[in-house]
Amino acid sequence: MPAAVWIAAAFVLGLAVGSFLNVVILRLPARLTHAWKRDAREMLELEGAEPAPPGIVRQASHCPRCKHPLAAYDNIPLLSWLLLRGRCRHCKAPISIQYPLVELLSGVLSAVVVWKFGPTWAALAALFFTWVLISAAGIDLHTQLLPDQLTLPLLWLGLLIALMPLFVDARAAIEGAAIGYLALWCVYWAFKLLTGKEGMGYGDFKLLGALGAWMGPVALLPIVLLSSFIGAIVGVVALRMRNQDHSTPIPFGPFLAAAGWVWFVFGDTILATYLHVSGLR
């Protein structure tokens, strides 16, 4: 098939997957919190239990306000939100802009991945990589948590793919995973020893380790620099818009995920452009 057909198909698939990613972003943290509380009650031998929140796969989508199940025609990615003008058909409550934004982001990034890698096994792996990063970034924005349920499978899959290899060889993947994790681990402890405060979470270590497993150690410095640069700009703007001071915590995971995806897809182009402009090539 022509490349345009593959790219269009990837966009449509990305929209559909983006609808599921919204479910993951909203329901996975609630499921994890419920499990943590359940385990704590069992350890402390406390009675009583809270009802489990909706499952990620089995329970159908519904309006968060009126709890009315969504019909199939109200659950078409992006299109349904536009047709309903961002409101529930039954109770007219506003539907969060997050839903169409995540779907559109997933569709666009999926199309870019297939445009970059073509209809190959590398593209299939890159799509999974993209979707996990979207989920992790969305959850971190909401809760300032990067669940192990996302970062660790991404890390191990990157190491396994390196055995083929699709992107980097096994040696580079192992080095990238180890250096990526330890780099932020060292920064964390240095900052804590100097200030007595925690500057980031352990999920950030694992996410950078996962990015290193997919791209090798050479990609780590550009990813950290790019994510820090973007994070500083966005953070300052966000704090000023909300009238908050600099002590307000800002999740770093979304910036790591964004920088990691950009370097994963366009890193070779960015590096070649830099070398050409700087006169090193």
Side-chain angles (χ1 to χ4, degrees), residues 11-278:
F11 176 75
V12 174
L13 175 63
L15 290 178
V17 173
S19 181
F20 174 71
L21 298 184
N22 271 314
V23 176
V24 174
I25 291 170
L26 295 175
R27 296 187 184 182
L28 180 58
R31 299 285 298 181
L32 293 176
T33 301
H34 176 266
W36 296 333
K37 290 181 178 179
R38 181 197 60 206
D39 295 343
R41 282 194 299 269
E42 291 178 356
M43 293 182 64
L44 297 173
E45 298 181 352
L46 299 177
E47 297 182 356
E50 298 178 0
I56 295 176
V57 177
R58 293 185 178 181
Q59 292 176 272
S61 298
H62 57 271
C63 172
R65 180 174 175 179
C66 68
K67 308 302 180 182
H68 195 285
L70 299 183
Y73 49 79
D74 285 337
N75 208 22
I76 303 172
L78 191 60
L79 183 60
S80 291
W81 189 90
L82 294 174
L83 292 176
L84 292 172
R85 298 181 180 179
R87 293 188 175 276
C88 172
R89 182 185 298 274
H90 304 280
C91 68
K92 306 304 179 183
I95 302 173
S96 173
I97 190 66
Q98 172 191 310
Y99 292 97
L101 287 181
V102 170
E103 292 165 355
L104 182 60
L105 179 65
S106 178
V108 171
L109 297 190
S110 298
V112 172
V113 163
V114 172
W115 166 79
K116 174 68 176 181
F117 295 102
T120 61
W121 288 110
L124 184 62
L127 286 173
F128 180 82
F129 176 83
T130 300
W131 298 333
V132 173
L133 288 184
I134 293 174
S135 300
I139 290 175
D140 201 16
L141 278 173
H142 274 285
T143 65
Q144 297 187 14
L145 293 173
L146 283 171
D148 288 350
Q149 287 77 358
L150 296 177
T151 57
L152 294 185
L154 191 66
L155 169 63
W156 286 109
L157 183 59
L159 294 174
L160 290 174
I161 286 177
L163 297 175
M164 301 179 67
L166 285 180
F167 307 108
V168 295
D169 58 33
R171 180 185 179 91
I174 294 172
E175 291 176 349
I179 295 173
Y181 184 92
L182 290 174
L184 290 188
W185 183 87
C186 292
V187 171
Y188 167 88
W189 281 107
F191 184 83
K192 188 171 184 179
L193 290 173
L194 291 173
T195 66
K197 302 177 181 179
E198 297 183 354
M200 63 181 66
Y202 278 67
D204 297 321
F205 315 164
K206 299 168 188 175
L207 179 57
L208 187 59
L211 296 177
W214 281 75
M215 289 175 270
V218 177
L220 294 175
L221 182 58
I223 290 173
V224 171
L225 292 176
L226 182 59
S227 60
S228 300
F229 177 72
I230 298 174
I233 294 176
V234 174
V236 169
V237 172
L239 291 177
R240 289 184 176 179
M241 290 179 63
R242 300 173 184 174
N243 293 321
Q244 297 172 326
D245 58 37
H246 294 286
S247 63
T248 304
I250 298 176
F252 188 49
F255 305 116
L256 270 180
W261 186 88
V262 168
W263 195 262
F264 181 72
V265 177
F266 299 110
D268 53 349
T269 303
I270 295 173
L271 182 59
T273 302
Y274 169 76
L275 293 176
H276 177 74
V277 172
S278 62

